[in-house]
Amino acid sequence: MPGRTALVRRPGPRLAEGLVTHIARTPVDTALALRQWDDYCRALRDHGWRAVEVPPADDCPDAVFIEDAMVVFRTAALIARSAAPSRRPETAGAEEAAEALGLTVHHVRAPGTLDGGDVLKIGDTVYVGRGGRTDAEGIRQLRAAFEPLGARVVPVPVEKVLHLKSAVTALPDGTVLGHPPLVGDPSPSLPFPRFLPVPEEPGAHVVLLGGPHVLLSAAAPRTAALLTTHGLHPVPVDITEFEKLEGCVTCLSVRVRALPG
């Protein structure tokens, strides 16, 4: 399937210096992280995805979390502008990769800020977390880029976690997953029509691989069992070293499901 392209970026030598905001810093095993990244990419390929490496940004410790550098909607890419200045140089390689795929490229301009991890797409609805990394101006610019393409943009407040997708992601049928201590009561405070609470924080993060297959952290076995009862096929991957830096399975790739032409 030519549209199944996942942009990934190899972890750099300064990975252990990555930012942490809502958790305590613990040592990162960079050699193990590289093996886990290889396994993550292999899981994508095993399920029909073409893993394309974005040019490295070895001076940027958090560059492996490529999802934050851009948002793709249909055949357009919005290059992000993080509220964390140390992350802004990551976007050059992301833009190069987007152009190589033939995507139409837009940019978040100063003073707006936006991280891709704050953007959850469910069909044509684009939920955008407003919190520490994404502000109202960044959301306005995302709306300007994507609404002409048919997107419906819905802001969501983010307070307890780094990004919106640190708290919630969605299943193939649009049901939103979340760990209750991080999202609170989903009704009426959150705008999701269907919400499924999960028993582990890492279980709130899934990548849709196609059909019933969903990628999730191996640190969420009870959530994997729960998803099985909903007719899904969990594909667990071990990403402990990235979780130490507030990363999750969504952060490590940008999934492009439709390419121009």
Side-chain angles (χ1 to χ4, degrees):
M1 300 180 67
R4 280 191 175 185
T5 299
L7 299 177
V8 295
R9 180 183 264 149
R10 188 175 300 271
R14 297 180 58 192
L15 175 69
E17 302 171 37
L19 299 173
V20 290
T21 305
H22 292 273
I23 62 175
R25 183 176 295 278
T26 55
V28 173
D29 184 333
T30 55
L32 176 57
L34 180 57
R35 294 195 296 273
Q36 292 179 344
W37 182 83
D38 283 333
D39 290 342
Y40 176 93
C41 294
R42 185 176 303 111
L44 292 173
R45 291 192 296 268
D46 287 349
H47 289 84
W49 290 79
R50 181 171 64 108
V52 175
E53 284 200 40
V54 172
D58 286 349
D59 287 337
C60 299
D62 291 294
V64 67
F65 302 122
I66 185 61
E67 180 181 54
D68 290 328
M70 77 168 94
V71 181
V72 175
F73 182 78
R74 296 187 178 173
T75 57
L78 178 66
I79 305 303
R81 182 176 181 270
S82 182
S86 66
R87 300 207 60 187
R88 292 176 190 167
E90 300 174 21
T91 60
E95 180 172 357
E96 181 180 333
E99 291 175 342
L101 292 177
L103 300 173
T104 301
V105 174
H106 305 268
H107 298 84
V108 176
R109 305 290 187 184
T113 63
L114 182 139
D115 270 5
D118 275 320
V119 181
L120 173 63
K121 295 169 291 182
I122 304 177
D124 289 337
T125 300
V126 180
Y127 296 100
V128 188
R130 179 177 176 179
R133 294 286 179 86
T134 296
D135 65 9
E137 175 59 18
I139 295 172
R140 186 196 68 77
Q141 294 185 40
L142 179 139
R143 180 178 281 116
F146 291 159
E147 280 190 343
L149 303 177
R152 182 176 73 94
V153 177
V154 180
V156 183
V158 172
E159 297 177 355
K160 298 182 179 181
V161 291
L162 180 62
H163 293 124
L164 176 62
K165 283 199 284 191
S166 301
V168 294
T169 55
L171 297 176
D173 68 354
T175 298
V176 171
L177 299 179
H179 186 51
L182 297 183
V183 299
D185 182 357
S187 178
S189 60
L190 294 180
F192 311 121
R194 297 187 302 279
F195 181 84
L196 177 65
V198 297
E200 300 133 320
E201 180 178 344
H205 320 131
V206 296
V207 169
L208 308 185
L209 294 174
H213 298 280
V214 293
L215 189 73
L216 83 166
S217 169
R222 289 182 292 158
T223 300
L226 173 65
L227 297 182
T228 299
T229 68
H230 286 259
L232 297 168
H233 297 172
V235 178
V237 289
D238 194 350
I239 57 166
T240 56
E241 303 314 292
F242 303 107
E243 289 169 337
K244 293 174 181 178
L245 298 168
E246 296 179 285
C248 63
V249 289
T250 69
C251 305
L252 294 170
S253 62
V254 175
R255 282 76 58 196
V256 182
R257 291 176 168 83
L259 292 175

